Amino acid sequence: HPPSPGAPAVPVTYSLFAVGGDGEDLRKTVLSDWLLAVEADAGDWSAERIELLHGVSRLIAVEREQREAARAVRRRLAQEVLDLVQAGAPPADIAARLRMAAPVLLPGLGSSPAWQVVVAGVEWRDARFPAGPVARSLLEEVLADPRGDGMEALDRFAVAQSGDEAVALVPLPAEPEAPGERGPAAGEDGEARAGVAGRGLRADGLLEAVRGPLSRGLGEDGRVTLGVSATVVSAEGLRGALEEARHARRVAAARPGPVCAAGHEELASHVLLLPFVPDDVRRAFTARLLDPLRDYDTRHRAELMTTLEAFLDSDGSWTRCASRLHLHVNTLRYRVGRIEQLTGRDLSRLEDKLDFFLALRMS
């Protein structure tokens, strides 16, 4: 409970009771387990009260089993769609399967939804169990909307498994038209329905919601990576959305940290290429360009590295860079000349500017 303004924070004690569980390797379920949290210290309770709470946990476990049964249907639908997409099936076959899935995921939906794809991977150090089912269970819990009635969360998605990855199909209903609004004309349907893209999942929002609790669950020997596609409005776009989400997850996997996510909006940047440069090539490239400048700065305190970064950030403008560094333009020209002399590059050439820019980003 948040304290009143000015009042000291009072620590709150909770007792946790497991809901279900099979007693196997904890890492198989820790990211998607259910726990009953009671605001009290159960260490002071009588055996009868403890048994009562265990009874409540068993009732909740029954609820979870019912939800698992419903999710099994959606998993089957998602797996059928995923298998068709990965097998290169005709778009008409994929569209037919999507039409079957839409009423299950969004009951009462009047028209076919748009779709997003979310791909998740879970890695545990020295794990001796397959990662795919773990990623699938995690993704189902991450995407569930808890704003249902009572215990019922809104599972408006379907999650399949592909190797060590989990793949979620997330439907987005089309915006209802306001009274009196003109519907899309023939041939405009794609543009009209593309407006749902603004209401879809975003990788940064998903990451903000799950990074804290998942990081604590992963400890020091686990990682979760997530990739989110753009919205597509047809079966033809689903294959591209799947590849986009997978590519985004690879970008996320190249970043440090136990929980990382990337979205489709990041794939249009040159930065996309950097995580896939082999480490030895990356080290050789950056060393060849930047080590002479670092060595010179160490010996002479010349701030050539700072000058180079500022010069590139100023788009090669002498006056803006000099103003930013609080230098006379002639002093800046001397430093840039020294950079060119030490590296054999010419900072008036676009190719050399780009090489320096990439070297700085990779380092």
Side-chain angles (χ1 to χ4, degrees), residues 45-253:
W45 289 2
S46 65
E48 291 79 8
R49 194 172 184 185
I50 293 287
E51 181 56 33
L52 176 63
L53 261 294
H54 282 306
V56 174
S57 298
R58 288 191 289 270
L59 290 175
I60 298 173
V62 172
E63 166 70 23
R64 185 177 188 182
E65 290 171 2
Q66 293 174 348
R67 185 178 298 181
E68 282 292 306
R71 283 178 174 175
V73 175
R74 291 189 288 272
R75 288 172 184 170
R76 197 158 52 245
L77 289 169
Q79 197 66 53
E80 291 173 355
V81 173
L82 180 61
D83 291 344
L84 288 172
V85 170
Q86 295 187 137
D93 293 349
I94 300 173
R97 200 67 79 192
L98 287 175
R99 284 194 295 272
M100 291 176 58
V104 176
L105 302 179
L106 292 173
L109 188 68
S111 60
S112 298
W115 299 87
Q116 275 184 287
V117 176
V118 182
V119 175
V122 178
E123 302 172 30
W124 289 107
R125 191 179 305 153
D126 302 324
R128 299 182 181 276
F129 50 83
V134 179
R136 185 182 62 193
S137 296
L138 168 68
L139 196 52
E140 287 174 335
E141 295 298 334
V142 164
L143 295 178
D145 186 345
R147 294 171 296 179
D149 297 328
M151 289 286 297
E152 185 62 29
L154 300 178
D155 286 1
R156 291 178 171 171
F157 54 85
V159 183
Q161 180 187 334
S162 178
D164 288 340
E165 287 183 331
V167 179
L169 300 176
V170 182
L172 300 172
E175 286 274 17
E177 287 187 13
E181 277 191 0
R182 180 180 65 87
E188 295 179 355
D189 182 65
E191 287 186 13
R193 288 178 56 211
V196 300
R199 300 182 296 109
L201 289 169
R202 287 187 56 87
D204 52 0
L206 188 59
L207 181 61
E208 182 180 359
V210 304
R211 178 162 45 194
L214 288 185
S215 296
R216 290 187 286 273
L218 290 162
E220 297 181 357
D221 67 341
R223 288 200 82 202
V224 169
T225 49
L226 300 159
V228 181
S229 80
T231 303
V232 296
V233 295
S234 66
E236 289 88 345
L238 203 58
R239 184 175 293 109
L242 175 61
E243 290 306 313
E244 192 172 58
R246 282 177 166 161
H247 211 59
R249 191 182 82 81
R250 289 194 289 269
V251 171

Side-chain angles (χ1 to χ4, degrees), residues 288-325:
R288 186 169 64 250
L289 279 179
L290 303 183
D291 279 3
L293 308 183
R294 293 185 178 121
D295 292 343
Y296 191 88
D297 281 348
T298 300
R299 294 196 308 270
H300 302 283
R301 298 182 180 178
E303 298 186 5
L304 296 186
M305 287 289 294
T306 302
T307 302
L308 174 62
E309 292 180 29
F311 187 73
L312 295 176
D313 286 344
S314 303
D315 297 324
S317 167
W318 295 98
T319 53
R320 273 191 287 143
C321 183
S323 175
R324 178 173 175 172
L325 295 174

